[in-house]
Amino acid sequence: MTTGTLYMLPVTLGTDNIHQALPQEVIQLAQGLETFIVENEKSARRFLGLVKPAKPVRELTLLTLNEHTTDAELPALLAPLLAGQDVGLMSEAGCPGIADPGARLAAMAHRKNIRVAPLVGPSSILLSLMGSGLNGQRFAFLGYLPSDKQARIQRIKDIERQSRQQQETQIFIETPYRNQHLLEDMLTHCAAETRLCIARNISLPTELIVSKSIKDWKKSELPELHKQPTVFLLLA
Amino acid sequence: MTTGTLYMLPVTLGTDNIHQALPQEVIQLAQGLETFIVENEKSARRFLGLVKPAKPVRELTLLTLNEHTTDAELPALLAPLLAGQDVGLMSEAGCPGIADPGARLAAMAHRKNIRVAPLVGPSSILLSLMGSGLNGQRFAFLGYLPSDKQARIQRIKDIERQSRQQQETQIFIETPYRNQHLLEDMLTHCAAETRLCIARNISLPTELIVSKSIKDWKKSELPELHKQPTVFLLLA
């Protein structure tokens, strides 16, 4: 039997506007799918309501893959694909397989010779890099920084050193209620000429993407970042 | 006077199918622009023909920004923005500001307080990572590897070491006519358990995204990569 395709289906970044976020053919493809593997069922149903699938949303099959999913549970998620069905994999926001648990299933799909097909959509990491004006020829995404203040300061210094040595843009995030602390630590501990891009609420009406040197950030009014999804990009 | 917005406008990755690559609202926005900064004028005119702008393509203003553009030439490219016009920045393929000269202009726009607005579209780097099943929580894009064989082998070993130490997916490219050499060097010099994803002709009908261990790649028939755009992703 021919196996199905695992479509890596991006979702909107907090907006309701799927026509700003997804190509028409991606929306059409999603409309035809009947089985989805989702990070959060509630937000996935809301997103699928916007997509307007061929079948009513309540009749779609939604399986969950999140940080609590064990390796032992992964084979059950691949069962529909092995039975020949196409499946859409969605993360909570943005592109599945990037900074989410989706890559674990894609890895297992490759081992079973199931086709994995990425679809175009919004990624706050990529969009913020495009908008930053920092080096896009060489960059690294590091995920979350340590929550402990001393460990975070040390990590910031390491990141700055790596960026200077390699001329590499370093991209990282923080849980939104700690954004302001991270920003303060960078302003205190980074070199005056280091460039910092703050990319807040990407693709929302309140989107802000501003790149300045640490020296110039210190002279500016700082943007409100508390509890707002923000990507930080640094180039020393 | 209010300055214009610099739109970072992605273009298709070799296909003619803009409805697979760009959201409807991105296409509509591009239709309304009259000034574009482009990496290659010929391919940009071809792409704009598909977009069907409000003004005939021959009446649009196209300015060039490529690897030969000097810093002294950049201010002239910002002049329309400072005069209040919105401008679209396009690279040869994919997302501007990523692995192209576009970031230089975005950086200068930030210094002039010109708004830089990234738009959703296809990136072979991001799509290949989504499809790879390799670590998407931590990754680095390294650009091109050295063309000299000995230097390239050393670099592959460094990349593998960095990936193992940080559990970081390492993403890199090669000029397409050297793809086969790069692949052979990786098969010879990487550890048996290192995972390698080959992502060829992303978004074309001949798209191939396959992840295997080096050991399993050695047992497989190798894909034809000669002169075909390919992204390599490695996780040791």
Side-chain angles (χ1 to χ4, degrees), chain A residues 62-112:
Chain A
L62 268 62
L63 308 169
T64 300
L65 169 65
N66 60 29
E67 57 191 300
H68 306 296
T69 306
T70 64
D71 284 347
E73 293 171 300
L74 293 180
L77 300 178
L78 289 185
L81 290 148
L82 292 170
Q85 268 202 308
D86 292 340
V87 171
L89 174 62
M90 300 192 287
S91 72
E92 180 71 40
C95 291
I98 314 286
D100 82 321
R104 293 168 61 203
L105 194 70
M108 190 171 276
H110 278 290
R111 284 196 285 272
K112 300 279 184 192

Side-chain angles (χ1 to χ4, degrees), chain B residues 86-106:
Chain B
D86 292 339
V87 170
L89 173 62
M90 301 191 285
S91 72
E92 180 71 39
C95 291
I98 314 285
D100 81 321
R104 293 168 60 203
L105 195 71

Side-chain angles (χ1 to χ4, degrees), chain A residues 2-234:
Chain A
T2 314
T3 58
T5 294
L6 179 61
Y7 288 104
M8 304 299 270
L9 174 62
V11 304
T12 49
L13 292 170
T15 72
D16 277 356
N17 189 347
I18 61 171
H19 300 285
Q20 176 199 330
L22 301 180
Q24 193 55 42
E25 292 197 4
V26 171
I27 297 171
Q28 283 164 0
L29 191 150
Q31 286 169 340
L33 296 174
E34 301 186 0
T35 304
F36 297 87
I37 296 167
V38 307
E39 197 173 357
N40 176 303
E41 188 170 326
K42 193 176 156 191
S43 64
R45 285 198 189 278
R46 215 179 128 272
F47 173 76
L48 288 169
L50 304 170
V51 166
K52 299 188 178 48
K55 256 195 174 179
V57 174
R58 66 177 181 282
E59 293 178 24
L60 301 173
T61 303
L62 268 62
L63 308 169
T64 300
L65 169 65
N66 60 29
E67 57 191 300
H68 306 296
T69 306
T70 64
D71 284 347
E73 293 171 300
L74 293 180
L77 300 178
L78 289 185
L81 290 148
L82 292 170
Q85 268 202 308
D86 292 340
V87 171
L89 174 62
M90 300 192 287
S91 72
E92 180 71 40
C95 291
I98 314 286
D100 82 321
R104 293 168 61 203
L105 194 70
M108 190 171 276
H110 278 290
R111 284 196 285 272
K112 300 279 184 192
N113 294 312
I114 291 167
R115 181 178 161 233
V116 181
L119 301 172
V120 172
S123 156
S124 59
I125 300 166
L126 194 87
L127 290 165
S128 63
L129 181 62
M130 289 166 71
S132 70
L134 303 187
N135 191 2
Q137 314 261 6
R138 180 154 185 169
F139 58 89
F141 175 69
L142 308 169
Y144 293 92
L145 263 49
S147 58
D148 171 73
K149 188 173 174 74
Q150 284 314 311
R152 184 168 63 224
I153 291 170
Q154 187 53 52
R155 187 89 172 89
I156 290 169
K157 291 178 178 175
D158 292 344
I159 286 171
E160 195 181 32
R161 188 179 319 116
Q162 165 79 3
S163 176
R164 188 177 293 122
Q165 277 171 5
Q166 306 289 349
Q167 276 305 293
E168 183 174 75
T169 300
Q170 305 275 328
I171 309 171
F172 41 95
I173 50 179
E174 191 39 283
T175 40
Y177 68 89
R178 277 201 287 264
N179 281 337
Q180 218 75 36
H181 294 296
L182 174 59
L183 177 56
E184 284 160 22
D185 288 342
M186 282 192 281
L187 295 185
T188 308
H189 296 281
C190 288
E193 298 305 326
T194 289
R195 284 160 73 198
L196 170 67
C197 177
I198 298 175
R200 183 195 71 188
N201 293 340
I202 290 281
S203 91
L204 292 172
T206 50
E207 173 176 293
L208 178 87
I209 307 177
V210 178
S211 288
K212 289 180 198 279
S213 66
I214 293 290
K215 186 179 61 185
D216 288 340
W217 274 119
K218 284 183 179 175
K219 289 185 224 156
S220 323
E221 198 179 339
L222 296 180
E224 176 61 48
L225 303 181
H226 189 59
K227 292 193 180 174
Q228 303 189 59
T230 303
V231 182
F232 297 92
L233 305 94
L234 183 150

Side-chain angles (χ1 to χ4, degrees), chain B residues 175-230:
Chain B
T175 40
Y177 68 89
R178 275 202 288 264
N179 281 338
Q180 218 76 36
H181 294 297
L182 174 57
L183 176 56
E184 284 161 21
D185 288 343
M186 283 191 282
L187 295 185
T188 308
H189 296 281
C190 288
E193 297 305 327
T194 289
R195 284 161 71 198
L196 170 67
C197 177
I198 298 175
R200 181 195 72 186
N201 293 340
I202 290 279
S203 89
L204 293 172
T206 50
E207 174 176 294
L208 177 88
I209 306 177
V210 178
S211 287
K212 289 180 197 280
S213 67
I214 293 290
K215 186 180 61 184
D216 287 340
W217 275 118
K218 284 181 176 173
K219 289 185 223 156
S220 323
E221 199 179 337
L222 296 180
E224 176 61 47
L225 304 181
H226 189 59
K227 293 194 179 173
Q228 302 188 59
T230 302

